[in-house]
Amino acid sequence: MKITICDDSLRDLRKLEQLLLAFQELYPSTPFEIESYSDACLLSRNIQEHKPADIYILDMIMEPMTGIDIGRQLRGLGTEAAIIYITTSDDFALDAYGVHALRYLLKPVSQEPLFEALRCALSQARTRQEPVYLLKTREGLVSIPYSKIEYIENASRTLEVHLAGGAVEKSIFIRKSFDEEISELVFDVQFVQVHKSFLINLNYVRQLARNRVTMESGSAVPVSQKRAALVRDNYLSFISDFYKQG
């Protein structure tokens, strides 16, 4: 669990750090990492390049980027990270709701309202434990829940992630091999690589044939000859486990 705080006032930033450490001492069973920024532009670059944090505590009024700018960036990337805003004025409360902020706290921030906001944020974060696949696109880093992926295709050294519902997210040019790009997914039983250029989510298989898989979207995904037996065995095992759980 990671909590990121950003405030261009070093005094307020240090106070937030102290409050978070006090919260951590009060709730030792909920460990988290604290990441601090006094420069919103630096935080923005970090969000583009790395996996987003679970909780953000952001000063509303900063220059040249505001806390609202950071919030819009996070939502634009599809992250559901909790956002807690702090500010010296309540004039921007409606802007905070526009990015689905969890709380809006006035400075000076005191322990009780911040701790209440943190408890709420941590509770929400625990319910969002589904793993996500991070895809580097031209617009930035996109977090895609595993359950939303129907299949992934390696198309001319670009990953095309086909999502349930028909949307497609496209990566920038990949420098690693396709096997390396999908390595984290193949360890999850719901995914299987059916071809050197295709990975499917077994949850979305409509029909399995010897040399192809028909997905729920109607897309026909090729199955290579050397992988056919493994794909069949994985699919039958997956279906068997599904009915046992049911």
Side-chain angles (χ1 to χ4, degrees), residues 193-242:
Q193 187 175 359
V194 298
H195 184 278
K196 67 178 182 180
S197 299
F198 288 89
L199 175 97
I200 65 169
N201 187 333
L202 294 171
N203 286 294
Y204 294 102
V205 172
R206 181 190 298 173
Q207 185 179 35
L208 176 64
R210 182 177 59 83
N211 62 352
R212 72 175 184 279
V213 176
T214 303
M215 307 303 291
E216 286 293 338
S217 63
S219 298
V221 176
V223 176
S224 65
Q225 184 177 355
K226 72 175 184 177
R227 297 178 186 271
L230 178 63
V231 172
R232 182 196 64 224
D233 291 345
N234 282 12
Y235 180 64
L236 292 176
S237 176
F238 182 80
I239 292 297
S240 175
D241 290 341
F242 174 82

Side-chain angles (χ1 to χ4, degrees), residues 60 68 90-99 104:
M60 180 75 74
I68 291 296
D90 59 3
D91 292 340
F92 304 95
L94 290 178
D95 293 326
Y97 287 113
V99 294
Y104 183 92

